[in-house]
Amino acid sequence: MSGTPHARRTMLRAAALAPAVGLGLTACSTGGDGGSNRSAPTAPVDLGTADEVKVGASKLYTDQNVVVSRISEDEYKAFSTICTHARCPINKLEGHKLICPCHGSQFDATNGKVLHEPAVAPLHELPVKVEKGKIVAGPEKA
């Protein structure tokens, strides 16, 4: 029975690969995230003083899943930092480049556009304003 050892090897290889495949699928899933917040603000959130974001700079607010860029003295842009690829919270900002830790998607913090795939959809823009010297971002309460 010369075919039996070959079949056994094939079966053992498949059994050895099954856990690795499962881990890969888990890493790409959009469920169970260990408690991290996977949503953008659903109501306005106070992000701190307007002076914290200098003209021409961007600031990442990881607790609120928001990035704010100050385009000019009185113009601000805000975007959700939930990656449009697999809904991972983005936690890294280099200059104006947001980098998703899950699969490496990159976005421009000043306009939300995709700089590097696998994401293909831009970040969701959020309403932003300065009230009494504080940055407030997120949709108005319904």
Side-chain angles (χ1 to χ4, degrees):
M1 290 193 178
S2 61
T4 305
H6 177 69
R8 187 177 306 141
R9 272 193 301 260
T10 301
M11 182 74 140
L12 290 172
R13 280 190 199 133
L17 289 175
V21 171
L23 286 174
L25 292 174
T26 300
C28 288
S29 74
T30 57
D33 59 345
S36 64
N37 184 6
R38 288 184 181 244
S39 64
T42 56
V45 291
D46 181 343
L47 299 173
T49 64
D51 292 338
E52 290 179 13
V53 184
K54 303 295 180 204
V55 174
S58 298
K59 182 170 180 181
L60 179 61
Y61 299 88
T62 55
D63 289 345
Q64 293 83 9
N65 294 324
V66 174
V67 64
V68 174
S69 296
R70 191 167 182 180
I71 309 304
S72 65
E73 188 63 36
D74 58 354
E75 182 185 5
Y76 295 79
K77 292 276 189 173
F79 296 90
S80 163
T81 56
I82 301 300
C83 182
T84 58
H85 171 248
R87 302 215 28 89
C88 292
I90 297 170
N91 61 6
K92 187 173 185 181
L93 176 66
E94 293 177 352
H96 295 294
K97 182 171 53 176
L98 292 159
I99 303 168
C100 181
C102 292
H103 303 107
S105 294
Q106 297 177 9
F107 301 88
D108 186 322
T110 64
N111 59 27
K113 291 182 180 177
V114 176
L115 300 174
H116 188 279
E117 295 181 354
V120 293
L123 294 174
H124 177 71
E125 188 168 1
L126 300 170
V128 63
K129 58 188 170 187
V130 175
E131 290 181 341
K132 300 178 185 174
K134 296 190 177 215
I135 299 171
V136 178
E140 294 296 324
K141 293 180 182 176

